[in-house]
Amino acid sequence: MLLTWRRWRRGRPFWGGLAAVVAGAEICAIPLAPLKIMLQQGIAGIPSVLMGLVMIVMGLSAWFAPHYRGLAGVLTVLCAAAALVMSNLGGFLIGTVIGILGGSMIFAWQPVAPPAPENPAAPEAVAEPGSAPEAVAGPAPSEP
């Protein structure tokens, strides 16, 4: 069970997606907090909730559809930066910073190629230093 979890986690941008989900939840939660904590109330809460939901969806898409990591990373960073202006200083700066870090981790993640199986029956040709490589493609020259 633990090995399956590790294999799943390593096959996708897990930590970037987790940071995006946490940042989106934090940005969503601020407008829903009691009025004493809020900096702005009213219609300004709608963009906060929408940006937070987009960040949560992008974090989940990084987990479950890692081939969309480029789009998810860029949209997460853009929403986190927009939340700085539109959503109570981006969730008191915490949501913006975590969202930018998570989006950049999602965008920068690269899948690891599985190692090629070794075939002992077919040894590879090793070229000696100073020797010219052989021509690989093209027809063999014919003599007149």
Side-chain angles (χ1 to χ4, degrees), residues 6 11 25 28 33 55 62 74 77 79-80 111 131 137 142:
R6 279 188 189 161
C28 275
M55 289 174 68
V74 169
V77 169
C79 283
S131 65
S142 61

Side-chain angles (χ1 to χ4, degrees), residues 2-135:
L2 186 60
L3 184 62
T4 306
W5 165 250
R6 279 188 189 161
R7 191 177 308 129
W8 182 85
R9 188 187 69 205
R10 289 180 181 167
R12 57 206 72 249
F14 178 77
W15 296 110
L18 182 65
V21 168
V22 167
E26 201 269 338
I27 288 173
C28 275
I30 295 297
L32 304 175
L35 188 58
K36 293 178 184 177
I37 297 173
M38 289 289 301
L39 292 178
Q40 298 177 11
Q41 184 66 30
I43 196 73
I46 294 173
S48 301
V49 172
L50 290 177
M51 283 186 289
L53 288 176
V54 168
M55 289 174 68
I56 290 170
V57 168
M58 291 300 109
L60 293 175
S61 72
W63 285 349
F64 298 110
H67 51 280
Y68 290 124
R69 68 186 178 277
L71 177 67
V74 169
L75 284 178
T76 301
V77 169
L78 287 176
C79 283
L84 183 65
V85 178
M86 299 178 70
S87 172
N88 300 313
L89 294 174
F92 301 122
L93 286 176
I94 297 168
T96 294
V97 170
I98 294 173
I100 289 174
L101 288 175
S104 61
M105 285 192 291
I106 292 171
F107 185 77
W109 179 82
Q110 293 290 321
V112 177
E118 295 183 21
N119 189 358
E124 296 180 17
V126 178
E128 294 183 21
S131 65
E134 297 180 12

